[in-house]
């Protein structure tokens, strides 16, 4: 009986520990308790190494402050603001002053006012634009990607980076340790032999023993000479060009930016670079003044486990709540937290046209089942769902009225909102918003609507696996 009592005490200790540490996120606590129930000891070991709160926030913020004087950069961006752009800001603020006061209050995310943006639909156009910009680099090329493959397009990028490095251009590359787990070490070694600098963001072994395995750098950034920047959903790999036989055509969205918003992209990259390398990179050559005539307002918003604010989640929530006419969302992974779910319901119930495109052919069945578990309750409130049929949809976009749009790396799921290092560009210019709305309309034509009546009659087995997947969704 003594050994049984001891086992019970240990088991209760594990339960209490998880509840006390995760009480702020009940859904996450429930998911880990299920794992603990199925695997009593192994589950707690997994929790210890994978799920504990990020412990080095203060250290990361200290490094950020040392690496970059963000306040000075913000001041420089705003002092360059022309009167016409200031008038544009006032016009937007008159429409939704509370929303834009919130956006303007995000730390380290200035609303820059002199930009030119180009929406890049799918990887073929995106890769061509990136490689062209890299070929024209004079001083530096900065690349950060969640996934880099050692395949045809991956080697194309590597060859250009190596050649530019040999020409004297500064090259810095960051890949995520989990996302690029299968990238051979020779890939980065080849870059280093050519004079480029290449680092891994939280290598899996280090992250595991440092209890940060659950945190992934999901950002995709390219900055060339501090003047041209790229951000969006596209990694570097042939699957984005349709090479995956299972997924087929890959539908994605990226953004090219020229102007002051590139400074924020640069700040983000250099902060991440300091984190992985310990090297402080600064100087006016990395944030050159914008000499163009663009007057588009763009805001670059970052989020991650090292931040006080869940800024991207808050941007989504506030924008959806402000919608009067329409909310168009595209996401490959749909696992909303309670606030986003409620915002979508309220927007649809109050008369806004709320439409969401999700994959018809998923790359992860478990995540897909978890996504489907949310559909019925949202469709009952008037939200309309569509499953993309042409291939795999990986774009992460939002259009709200004619007011704003977002293109970035964050999915509409709990991992992106709370665990990953993410980055989204918020657009306020009418032409960019219209272009994204047109792409959404085309994607609707390539999708099949999920009807409430048919969805209610899905098999019980499907309902059961969706229920289980939803319970585990905070861990996905």
């Amino acid at each position: 009986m003594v050994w049984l009592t001891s086992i019970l005490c240990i088991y209760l200790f594990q339960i209490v520990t998880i509840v006390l540490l995760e009480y702020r996120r009940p859904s996450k606590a429930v998911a880990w308790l299920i794992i603990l129930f199925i695997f009593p000891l192994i589950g707690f070991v997994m929790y210890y190494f994978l799920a504990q709160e990020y412990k080095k926030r203060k250290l990361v913020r200290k490094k950020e402050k040392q690496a970059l004087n963000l306040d000075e950069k913000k001041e420089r961006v705003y002092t360059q603001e022309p009167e016409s752009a200031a008038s544009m800001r006032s016009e937007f603020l008159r429409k939704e002053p509370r929303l834009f006061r919130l956006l303007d209050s995000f730390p380290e995310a200035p609303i820059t006012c002199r930009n030119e943006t180009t929406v890049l639909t799918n990887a073929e156009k995106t890769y061509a634009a990136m490689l062209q910009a890299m070929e024209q680099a004079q001083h530096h090329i900065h690349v950060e990607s969640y996934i880099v493959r050692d395949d045809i397009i991956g080697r194309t990028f590597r060859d250009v980076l190596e050649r530019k490095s040999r020409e004297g251009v500064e090259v810095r590359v960051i890949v995520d340790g989990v996302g690029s787990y299968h990238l051979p070490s020779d890939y980065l070694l080849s870059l280093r032999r050519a004079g480029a600098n290449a680092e891994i963001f939280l290598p899996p072994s280090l992250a595991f023993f440092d209890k940060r395995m659950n945190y992934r750098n999901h950002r995709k950034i390219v900055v060339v000479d501090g003047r041209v920047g790229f951000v969006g959903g596209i990694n570097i790999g042939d699957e984005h060009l349709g090479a995956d036989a299972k997924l087929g055509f890959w539908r994605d969205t990226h953004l090219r930016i020229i102007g002051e918003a590139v400074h924020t992209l640069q700040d983000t990259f250099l902060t991440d670079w300091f984190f992985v390398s310990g090297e402080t990179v600064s100087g006016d050559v990395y944030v050159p003044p914008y000499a163009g005539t663009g007057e588009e307002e763009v805001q670059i918003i970052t989020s991650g486990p090292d931040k006080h604010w869940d800024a991207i989640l808050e941007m989504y929530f506030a924008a959806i709540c402000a919608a009067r006419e329409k909310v168009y969302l595209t996401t490959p992974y749909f696992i909303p937290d309670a606030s986003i779910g409620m915002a979508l319901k309220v927007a649809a119930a109050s008369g806004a046209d709320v439409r969401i495109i999700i994959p018809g052919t998923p790359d992860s069945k478990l995540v897909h089942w978890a996504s489907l578990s949310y559909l019925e309750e949202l469709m009952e409130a008037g939200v309309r769902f569509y499953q993309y049929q042409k291939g795999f949809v990986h774009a992460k976009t939002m259009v709200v009225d004619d007011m704003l749009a977002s293109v970035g790396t964050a999915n509409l799921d709990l991992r992106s909102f709370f665990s990953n290092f993410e980055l989204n560009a918020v657009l306020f210019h009418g032409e960019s918003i219209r272009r994204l709305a047109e792409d959404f309309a085309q994607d609707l034509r390539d999708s099949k609507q999920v009807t409430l009546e048919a969805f209610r009659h899905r098999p019980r087995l499907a309902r059961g696996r969706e229920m289980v997947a939803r319970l585990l969704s905070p861990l996905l």
Side-chain angles (χ1 to χ4, degrees):
M1 288 297 294
V2 175
W3 63 269
L4 185 60
T5 303
S6 300
I7 291 175
L8 180 60
C9 289
I10 293 172
Y11 190 58
L12 290 174
F13 169 78
Q14 295 173 10
I15 292 174
V16 171
T17 300
I18 291 176
V19 170
L20 289 177
L21 292 177
E22 301 295 345
Y23 74 93
R24 288 187 178 90
R25 296 181 191 169
S27 60
K28 187 176 179 182
V30 169
W32 276 111
L33 289 175
I34 291 172
I35 297 293
L36 184 62
F37 177 76
I38 299 172
F39 308 105
L41 183 58
I42 298 174
F44 191 74
V45 173
M46 291 171 61
Y47 173 78
Y48 180 79
F49 282 106
L50 300 181
Q52 286 199 60
E53 190 66 21
Y54 199 66
K55 297 297 185 182
K56 296 196 174 183
R57 293 185 175 188
K58 292 183 179 180
L59 176 60
V60 173
R61 294 189 186 115
K62 182 178 180 181
K63 288 185 176 182
E64 288 180 9
K65 188 174 181 180
Q66 293 172 343
L68 300 166
N69 192 328
L70 293 171
D71 291 335
E72 288 186 5
K73 291 187 185 299
K74 287 182 188 177
E75 183 179 351
R76 178 164 61 247
V77 169
Y78 283 119
T79 55
Q80 291 178 347
E81 177 181 289
E83 290 184 6
S84 59
S87 299
M88 287 171 58
R89 178 184 296 185
S90 298
E91 177 186 348
F92 285 122
L93 286 171
R94 282 196 296 271
K95 289 181 179 179
E96 289 292 340
R98 293 181 64 189
L99 169 61
F100 286 91
R101 278 199 297 269
L102 171 69
L103 296 179
D104 204 34
S105 72
F106 288 150
E108 305 163 19
I111 300 177
T112 59
C113 300
R114 301 203 304 164
N115 300 282
E116 308 165 50
T117 64
T118 304
V119 176
L120 300 168
T121 304
N122 299 326
E124 186 175 354
K125 293 181 180 178
T126 300
Y127 291 151
M130 286 180 176
L131 291 168
Q132 181 184 30
M134 290 161 57
E135 292 282 7
Q136 297 172 353
Q138 300 295 313
H139 183 266
H140 65 268
I141 302 172
H142 293 158
V143 177
E144 182 171 350
S145 185
Y146 176 62
I147 296 174
V148 176
R149 305 284 191 201
D150 185 20
D151 51 21
I152 295 174
I153 192 63
R155 289 190 287 271
T156 300
F157 270 78
R158 184 191 63 190
D159 293 344
V160 172
L161 292 170
E162 289 179 357
R163 177 160 45 79
K164 297 303 291 187
S165 181
R166 292 189 184 100
E167 292 174 2
V169 173
E170 296 179 8
V171 174
R172 297 178 179 88
V173 178
I174 302 173
V175 301
D176 182 73
V178 174
S180 297
Y181 179 76
H182 295 291
L183 185 68
S185 58
D186 288 348
Y187 188 99
L188 298 182
L189 286 174
S190 180
L191 284 169
R192 291 166 184 150
R193 291 191 193 104
N197 299 283
E199 298 290 344
I200 301 175
F201 192 99
L202 293 180
S205 58
L206 173 64
F208 181 80
F209 289 108
D210 201 22
K211 293 174 288 186
R212 292 178 290 172
M213 189 73 170
N214 199 40
Y215 302 109
R216 306 169 189 173
N217 190 325
H218 198 239
R219 295 168 182 161
K220 295 95 177 172
I221 300 172
V222 173
V223 175
V224 177
D225 290 340
R227 302 179 186 276
V228 183
F230 297 85
V231 63
I234 298 175
N235 295 292
I236 300 174
D238 287 349
E239 66 266 28
H240 287 271
L241 296 169
D244 189 308
K246 174 190 171 185
L247 299 177
F249 175 75
W250 192 292
R251 171 70 184 91
D252 220 323
T253 299
H254 225 74
L255 190 71
R256 179 177 64 191
I257 305 172
I258 301 174
E260 293 173 348
V262 179
H263 297 172
T264 314
L265 286 178
Q266 187 81 291
D267 290 349
T268 303
F269 177 88
L270 293 179
T271 300
D272 290 345
W273 181 254
F274 185 77
F275 181 82
V276 298
S277 71
E279 177 190 12
T280 300
V281 179
S282 61
D284 290 341
V285 69
Y286 297 100
V287 283
Y290 171 61
T293 59
E295 292 188 344
E296 297 183 40
E297 291 190 324
V298 178
Q299 183 178 29
I300 304 297
I301 300 178
T302 61
S303 66
D306 60 312
K307 304 292 184 183
H308 283 297
W309 291 43
D310 299 313
I312 293 178
L313 168 64
E314 290 156 12
M315 179 272 292
Y316 271 111
F317 175 80
I320 294 168
C321 288
R324 300 182 181 183
E325 298 177 3
K326 64 189 179 189
V327 178
Y328 295 161
L329 290 161
T330 305
T331 180
Y333 312 119
F334 182 73
I335 304 176
D337 85 321
S339 64
I340 295 296
M342 183 58 68
L344 291 169
K345 288 180 183 179
V346 170
S350 61
D353 181 13
V354 182
R355 306 189 189 202
I356 302 174
I357 297 176
I358 60 175
T361 303
D363 65 337
S364 170
K365 287 187 178 180
L366 188 59
V367 175
H368 185 63
W369 294 337
S371 298
L372 294 177
S373 72
Y374 292 90
L375 267 57
E376 186 170 343
E377 59 189 286
L378 289 169
M379 285 192 290
E380 288 174 344
V383 178
R384 288 189 275 182
F385 283 89
Y386 300 80
Q387 291 186 306
Y388 192 72
Q389 301 296 305
K390 192 175 178 180
F392 177 59
V393 63
H394 190 254
K396 306 114 172 23
T397 64
M398 175 176 67
V399 176
V400 177
D401 297 344
D402 297 321
M403 181 171 54
L404 64 77
S406 173
V407 176
T409 70
N411 301 301
L412 272 173
D413 67 358
L414 301 176
R415 169 166 292 284
S416 285
F417 289 148
F418 300 116
S419 298
N420 287 349
F421 295 83
E422 303 280 5
L423 185 148
N424 275 38
V426 182
L427 311 176
F428 307 95
H429 188 257
E431 185 58 36
S432 298
I433 297 172
R434 282 191 293 272
R435 168 59 193 280
L436 287 167
E438 290 172 2
D439 281 359
F440 188 87
Q442 178 58 54
D443 292 338
L444 282 181
R445 290 190 284 271
D446 293 327
S447 301
K448 180 181 179 181
Q449 184 172 359
V450 182
T451 63
L452 180 57
E453 187 64 26
F455 193 74
R456 281 174 172 165
H457 289 87
R458 66 196 186 280
R460 290 184 178 180
L461 177 61
R463 291 175 177 270
R465 68 193 183 197
E466 290 167 15
M467 179 183 67
V468 174
R470 180 163 177 168
L471 288 172
L472 297 176
S473 63
L475 311 182
L476 300 179

